[in-house]
């Protein structure tokens, strides 16, 4: 019997190749790397490995499925191919199982052990141009001092992955490529190796905040005493809220900043987040943040907010639940692009100074998972998170719903047939991407989207395309489609809809040319960003006006907007919008680069002629 057990133990490891490593020293990282995302390979620093160890080839489907036979359901490739669709937790559980089966000690390699092995024996790692490998370590920045048997950081959101398939044109050296992922994520880009090595004994590093937005955040509740007479019109001079140095090359980038989200904090601050990158599909795309402190007029310098290194972290959203908790939602790709994202959520109870670990709320890398900063609470208390239903321009919007405060989520439109977005039609999806969504108190949920334009009639009875409006009377399960009274919007533009504390809906969008009523009832032909109010749940809209004080000003809209000028008939021509209304009644609006602050009294006053 003992001989049979020993044979079974040996058979498990048959065919699994190991590479032997001796103790030694090496320079970890890359001192001069300058391709996208390479900032976290610096500073290069000396590392000493004090003991020998063995590192395996990538674990195969066949070997992993002796541990977990159910993995066959999601298997990719042949039995001999490296196993994928395994989380960090799956990989560590496999190590424990294999150790018990064989009477030996296995675990995931540390990041330093992986790089040391790859540098010494690159042929065993296929040049590092294949799949990424899970490592033991929590991800974090490198230190500048010499380390002995490092084990990474003490905590974090992400576990390190090494290797991968960055483009050759980036000039990425295979041994120093760094990525990281949520330990619960399963995708087709990550597999793992194991090491046979002595127990870990080094102390982990302690992470420090990288953003000014998290420093010296006041814990005191705001009195919310309006700084101006809210009965009188108020419109503050528009200002930039993104301050990033021109030479920034990671983790913040000056080249492209876009797709913001915004919320008020209980201490009176405003917190804005957005993505920062070189290209929108790149693996370097991460989330930046800036804070406008209560009583201040200039936003803090931007800082890194969140993002899994080596992943496209597309589409952030922020929301204050009104009970002391901020919510951060984000999409995350397996590598590049935003076609197939998972959705995650974090919470903060200290005005955004610190955040909980990221929780995956939809772990399927698929469509319908690109968050939109139009989060709202339904009349019955459920939290609703709109998400683009497809990566293209015509896919519509999904609505993710949680009835338990964010603990669990469902998408009532998932698996339902794609609707035909026509006036008088109905379906389980919202018409148009980037849906601007809000609920009328104890009434219907209303949404206005981009693309999927709906044909309607002008006053002269001639057909014309309009922005689609979707209305749901059953909590977001089904939607009826109509033509709104607003012009369609296109690339580089995203509208915003919100229910104001004073009662009406506020809708903000863009027009290439439309008719507005001036202060003395003259007709103005206006261009750019405008607002409209509705006192009947979106049935009719009044008080349309351009979002400009009429003064001549040159501004940088960033994103796809670029530089523009405002005057009495020209407002910002494009941008992705995000808005919030603080408890003092002030309305705060940001585009891809500019911050606006005004009140309802100003919205109700006709534009200057």
């Amino acid at each position: 019997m003992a001989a049979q057990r020993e044979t079974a133990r040996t058979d498990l490891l048959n065919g699994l190749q190991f590479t032997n490593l001796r103790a030694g020293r090496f320079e970890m990282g890359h001192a001069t790397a300058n391709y996208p995302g390479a900032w976290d390979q610096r500073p290069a620093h000396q590392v000493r490995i004090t003991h020998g160890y063995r590192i395996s080839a990538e674990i195969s489907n066949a070997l992993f499925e002796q541990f977990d036979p159910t993995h066959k359901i999601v298997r990719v490739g042949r039995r001999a191919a490296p196993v994928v669709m395994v989380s960090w937790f799956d990989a560590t559980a496999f190590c424990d199982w294999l150790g018990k089966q064989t009477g030996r000690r296995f675990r995931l390699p540390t990041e330093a052990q992986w790089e040391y092995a790859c540098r010494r024996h690159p042929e065993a790692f296929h040049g590092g141009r294949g799949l990424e490998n899970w490592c033991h370590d929590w991800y974090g920045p490198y230190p500048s001092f010499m380390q002995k048997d490092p084990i990474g950081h003490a905590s974090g959101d992400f576990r390190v992955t090494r290797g991968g398939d960055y483009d050759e044109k980036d000039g990425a050296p295979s041994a120093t490529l760094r990525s990281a992922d949520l330990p619960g994520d399963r995708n087709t880009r990550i597999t793992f190796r194991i090491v046979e090595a002595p127990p870990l004994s080094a102390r982990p590093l302690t992470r420090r905040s990288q953003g000014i937005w998290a420093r010296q955040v006041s814990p005191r509740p705001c009195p919310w005493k309006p700084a101006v007479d809210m009965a009188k019109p108020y419109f503050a001079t528009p200002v930039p809220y993104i301050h990033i140095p021109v030479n920034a090359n990671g983790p913040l980038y000056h080249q492209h900043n876009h797709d913001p989200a915004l919320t008020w904090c209980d201490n009176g601050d405003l917190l804005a987040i957005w993505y920062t990158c070189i290209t929108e599909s790149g693996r370097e795309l991460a989330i930046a943040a800036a804070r406008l402190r209560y009583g201040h007029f200039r936003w803090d310098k931007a800082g890194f907010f969140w993002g899994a290194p080596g992943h496209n972290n597309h589409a952030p959203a922020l929301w204050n639940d009104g009970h002391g908790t901020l919510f951060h939602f984000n999409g995350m790709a397996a590598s590049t692009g935003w076609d197939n994202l998972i959705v995650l959520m974090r919470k903060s109870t200290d005005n955004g100074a610190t955040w909980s670990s990221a929780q995956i709320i939809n772990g399927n890398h698929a469509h319908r998972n690109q968050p939109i900063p139009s989060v709202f609470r339904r009349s019955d208390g459920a939290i609703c998170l709109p998400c683009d239903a497809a990566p293209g321009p015509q896919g519509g919007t999904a609505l993710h719903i949680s009835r338990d405060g964010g603990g669990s989520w469902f998408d009532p439109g998932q698996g339902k047939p794609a609707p035909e977005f026509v006036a008088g039609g109905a379906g389980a999806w919202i018409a148009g991407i980037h849906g601007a969504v809000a609920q009328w108190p104890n009434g219907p949920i209303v949404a206005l989207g981009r693309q999927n334009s709906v044909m309607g009639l002008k006053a002269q009875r001639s057909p014309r395309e309009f922005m689609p409006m979707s209305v749901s009377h059953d909590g977001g399960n089904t939607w009826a489609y109509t033509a709104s009274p607003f012009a369609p919007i296109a690339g580089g533009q995203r509208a915003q809809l919100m229910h104001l504390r004073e009662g009406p809906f506020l809708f903000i969008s863009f027009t290439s040319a439309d008719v507005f009523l001036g202060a003395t009832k003259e007709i103005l032909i206006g261009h750019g960003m405008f607002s409209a109010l509705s006192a009947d749940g979106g049935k009719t809209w009044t008080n349309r006006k351009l979002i400009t004080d009429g003064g001549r000003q040159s501004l940088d809209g960033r994103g796809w907007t670029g530089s523009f000028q405002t005057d009495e008939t020209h407002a910002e021509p494009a941008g992705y919008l995000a808005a919030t209304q603080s408890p003092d009644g002030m309305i705060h609006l940001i585009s891809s680069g500019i911050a606006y602050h005004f009140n309802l009294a100003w919205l109700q006053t006709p534009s200057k002629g």
Side-chain angles (χ1 to χ4, degrees):
M1 185 67 72
Q4 291 178 343
R5 285 197 297 268
E6 186 60 33
T7 300
R9 290 174 177 178
T10 304
D11 287 346
L12 275 175
L13 298 176
N14 280 344
L16 180 59
Q17 296 180 344
F18 282 87
T19 300
N20 295 316
L21 280 303
R22 295 179 179 178
R25 297 179 62 153
F26 74 105
E27 183 177 73
M28 188 170 182
H30 197 296
T32 60
N34 59 7
Y35 52 87
W39 59 271
D40 69 344
Q41 295 176 31
R42 301 188 291 269
H45 59 290
Q46 291 294 313
V47 167
R48 182 183 171 198
I49 303 293
T50 64
H51 50 75
Y53 62 97
R54 301 202 308 154
I55 188 168
S56 76
E58 292 169 338
I59 301 301
S60 68
N61 281 311
L63 180 53
F64 185 83
E65 287 166 6
Q66 292 189 58
F67 159 65
D68 180 10
T70 66
H71 183 267
K72 296 176 183 178
I73 299 171
V74 295
R75 178 197 293 171
V76 176
R78 302 184 307 274
R79 293 182 72 249
V83 65
V84 294
M85 298 299 291
V86 287
S87 70
W88 184 90
F89 299 113
D90 298 333
T92 54
F94 171 86
C95 291
D96 293 342
W97 170 83
L98 187 62
K100 291 177 181 177
Q101 296 296 314
T102 61
R104 295 155 75 169
R105 182 185 293 115
F106 296 109
R107 58 169 168 78
L108 293 177
T110 65
E111 181 177 12
Q113 287 173 331
W114 190 100
E115 183 170 328
Y116 183 62
C118 186
R119 286 179 180 273
R120 293 294 188 271
H121 300 279
E123 71 283 353
F125 286 75
H126 306 291
R129 298 289 175 177
L131 298 168
E132 297 169 29
N133 297 169
W134 284 117
C135 292
H136 163 83
D137 313 35
W138 286 111
Y139 172 86
Y142 282 160
S144 58
F145 50 82
M146 194 276 287
Q147 292 182 285
K148 184 173 71 173
D149 299 324
I151 61 172
H153 285 250
S155 62
D157 270 1
F158 312 111
R159 293 286 184 173
V160 172
T161 61
R162 297 299 301 263
D165 61 350
Y166 281 65
D167 291 340
E168 293 283 355
K169 63 182 174 58
D170 289 335
S174 60
T176 63
L177 286 173
R178 295 187 82 201
S179 299
D181 201 350
L182 296 167
D185 188 22
R186 296 182 176 95
N187 61 60
T188 59
R189 309 302 294 249
I190 302 177
T191 185
F192 68 100
R193 304 168 187 266
I194 60 175
V195 295
E196 189 172 14
L200 300 172
S201 59
R203 280 189 172 185
L205 297 169
T206 301
R207 174 187 293 273
R208 294 182 179 179
S209 172
Q210 298 180 355
I212 233 175
W213 55 268
R215 301 174 194 163
Q216 299 178 333
V217 176
S218 173
R220 294 189 296 273
C222 181
W224 296 116
K225 181 179 180 181
V228 299
D229 184 351
M230 297 298 282
K232 296 180 180 179
Y234 175 79
F235 184 90
T237 300
V239 296
Y241 67 91
I242 297 175
H243 302 288
I244 297 176
V246 174
N247 62 350
N249 194 33
L252 304 186
Y253 299 89
H254 185 269
Q255 289 94 324
H256 191 63
N257 291 270
H258 189 42
D259 189 15
L262 177 70
T263 191
W264 57 274
C265 304
D266 286 58
N267 65 354
D269 295 351
L270 294 179
L271 183 63
I273 61 174
W274 64 93
Y275 66 61
T276 180
C277 60
I278 297 175
T279 62
E280 289 194 353
S281 61
R283 293 179 70 151
E284 81 283 357
L285 185 147
I287 307 301
R291 184 180 292 271
L292 180 64
R293 307 197 181 241
Y294 181 64
H296 290 222
F297 297 96
R298 179 179 172 84
W299 290 75
D300 287 345
K301 292 179 181 179
F304 177 81
F305 182 68
W306 187 87
H311 296 253
N312 188 289
N313 300 282
H314 224 80
L318 281 176
W319 180 61
N320 188 320
D321 73 348
H323 301 288
T325 300
L326 303 182
F327 285 70
H328 164 221
F329 301 95
N330 224 98
M332 190 188 80
S335 58
T336 61
W338 59 90
D339 287 9
N340 297 300
L341 306 175
I342 61 173
V343 188
L344 57 93
M345 178 186 74
R346 302 192 300 158
K347 297 180 183 180
S348 173
T349 56
D350 57 5
N351 301 295
T354 61
W355 293 83
S356 64
S357 296
Q359 170 191 347
I360 298 174
I361 62 176
N362 188 327
N364 296 317
H365 283 272
H367 295 172
R368 306 181 67 80
N369 287 342
Q370 185 175 329
I372 303 166
S374 195
V375 188
F376 66 98
R377 189 186 296 279
R378 211 167 57 183
S379 295
D380 64 353
I383 302 172
C384 298
L385 169 67
C387 291
D388 281 352
Q394 299 290 334
T397 296
L399 195 66
H400 295 242
I401 301 171
S402 174
R403 296 194 182 106
D404 56 6
S408 60
W409 295 78
F410 70 99
D411 172 3
Q414 181 69 48
K416 301 294 177 61
E420 184 178 3
F421 298 120
V422 296
W429 305 2
I430 294 168
I433 63 169
H434 300 347
V437 193
Q439 183 173 22
W440 192 249
N442 299 311
I445 302 175
V446 178
L448 295 113
R450 191 179 98 183
Q451 306 290 3
N452 298 127
S453 301
V454 174
M455 298 300 296
L457 297 176
K458 293 177 62 177
Q460 296 85 357
R461 310 301 296 172
S462 59
R464 176 185 167 188
E465 285 192 340
F466 290 89
M467 178 181 289
M469 178 183 287
S470 305
V471 179
S472 175
H473 293 275
D474 59 5
N477 290 295
T478 59
W479 301 84
Y481 310 128
T482 62
S484 78
F486 305 114
I489 56 175
Q493 298 176 328
R494 184 180 70 196
Q496 187 73 188
L497 177 68
M498 57 192 300
H499 179 253
L500 297 180
R501 296 171 183 271
E502 296 89 344
F505 269 157
L506 167 62
F507 179 64
I508 304 175
S509 187
F510 300 91
T511 181
S512 57
D514 212 335
V515 174
F516 296 89
L517 192 64
T520 57
K521 297 187 178 181
E522 73 278 23
I523 298 299
L524 304 175
I525 302 300
H527 308 261
M529 187 165 57
F530 72 92
S531 63
L533 298 172
S534 175
D536 56 11
K539 297 176 182 177
T540 59
W541 298 87
T542 60
N543 299 96
R544 299 193 196 190
K545 70 178 301 181
L546 294 177
I547 308 292
T548 173
D549 61 359
R552 291 184 176 271
Q553 187 175 7
S554 296
L555 295 166
D556 181 3
R558 290 191 174 268
W560 297 106
T561 307
S563 299
F564 64 94
Q565 289 188 329
T566 65
D567 56 33
E568 61 274 6
T569 57
H570 292 81
E572 184 166 359
Y576 274 31
L577 303 182
T580 189
Q581 187 183 28
S582 49
D584 58 3
M586 192 64 69
I587 299 162
H588 310 279
L589 169 72
I590 56 176
S591 63
S592 296
I594 306 298
Y596 301 81
H597 311 275
F598 46 83
N599 62 6
L600 176 60
W602 182 82
L603 292 171
Q604 294 171 328
T605 304
S607 299
K608 292 182 179 180

